[in-house]
Amino acid sequence: MMGRHGFGAPGARERLTRAVKEVEGRTSAEVVVAVRRHSGDYAAADLRLGLVLAVSALLAVYGLPHVFDDAAFVLDPALFFILGLFASRHFPALRRILTPRARRVENVRTAARAAFVDLGVGRLMRRNGILVFVSLLEKTVDVVPDVGVDVAAMGPPWRESLARLEGSLAAGRPLDAFDDALRSLGPVLQRVLPREEDDVNELPDEAAVE
């Protein structure tokens, strides 16, 4: 995800900035892209894997016909517990698998709304800001429009663009898929919020990548 074809690729930030400029060249809406490695605390997933491996090691020590030293009943489970913590913390796919989907969705939703406030998307004069929030560990995109963006008026084309954005991180080349989906917002927003001569760019176009 953060590799050669992902959001950590060389030039990825610049590419996203160009996409935002293209969209805003057609609409008075202001689009902000925020990219985060994860959206929440997944310590519970780390502990869950550690405990599973520790219990498995303990059962193996008890069940195998080999005679183990008494220390193995303590050291082996402890070692596998630490191994589980390490593996979960360093392999996002494990954290994703070990965390219920509802929890992941709620984490992204909460983080996106926090970013909406932190990045000033809700402070625009016309209340026409749109946050496109990308959370890589969860492979989720959450779009948060302000009250001045009439999503009902945009109808099915808006929903289709959202579906493309939400599904982009599951693609083999996620940055390409996300870039295409982001640019598709331009003509959709143009229908309801066309760009006007006196439009002022109130927020940076550069993607907020952390």
Side-chain angles (χ1 to χ4, degrees):
M1 189 68 66
M2 290 292 290
R4 201 155 64 97
H5 303 303
F7 289 81
R13 188 194 298 263
E14 292 76 14
R15 182 175 178 180
L16 295 177
T17 299
R18 290 194 298 271
V20 170
K21 288 180 180 293
E22 178 181 313
V23 172
E24 292 187 352
R26 308 181 68 157
T27 176
S28 61
E30 293 236 20
V31 176
V32 175
V33 174
V35 181
R36 302 290 183 265
R37 288 182 177 272
H38 57 82
S39 294
D41 182 0
Y42 289 94
D46 302 341
L47 291 171
R48 192 173 293 119
L49 181 59
L51 287 171
V52 167
L53 293 185
V55 170
S56 299
L58 184 60
L59 291 176
V61 171
Y62 269 111
L64 290 175
H66 179 76
V67 177
F68 291 92
D69 186 90
D70 289 346
F73 290 89
V74 176
L75 294 179
D76 284 13
L79 177 62
F80 277 89
F81 179 78
I82 294 171
L83 178 63
L85 292 181
F86 178 86
S88 182
R89 288 174 181 171
H90 290 82
F91 295 94
L94 286 174
R95 277 184 159 179
R96 190 165 53 247
I97 292 169
L98 292 165
T99 304
R101 183 178 183 278
R103 175 65 185 275
R104 300 197 310 266
V105 169
E106 183 60 28
N107 283 350
V108 174
R109 179 180 175 83
T110 300
R113 277 139 191 83
F116 184 88
V117 174
D118 293 342
L119 296 173
V121 184
R123 295 199 299 266
L124 302 183
M125 183 174 61
R126 298 180 182 178
R127 301 297 301 274
N128 58 350
I130 300 172
L131 174 67
V132 182
F133 185 84
V134 180
S135 197
L136 299 177
L137 182 146
E138 297 86 354
K139 290 190 175 182
T140 300
V141 177
D142 193 12
V143 178
V144 187
D146 206 345
V147 294
V149 180
D150 189 350
V151 297
M154 290 184 282
W158 169 257
R159 294 192 291 273
E160 290 168 8
S161 288
L162 292 190
R164 288 182 62 184
L165 284 166
E166 291 164 0
S168 63
L169 300 194
R173 299 171 70 98
L175 181 60
D176 291 347
F178 178 82
D179 181 70
D180 290 341
L182 182 62
R183 292 174 191 269
S184 76
L185 289 176
V188 177
L189 290 167
Q190 186 178 24
R191 290 177 52 245
V192 176
L193 293 167
R195 186 166 179 81
E196 301 174 3
E197 291 185 3
D198 61 346
D199 280 338
V200 176
N201 197 17
E202 299 178 64
L203 294 172
D205 295 330
E206 186 177 15
V209 181
E210 291 183 2

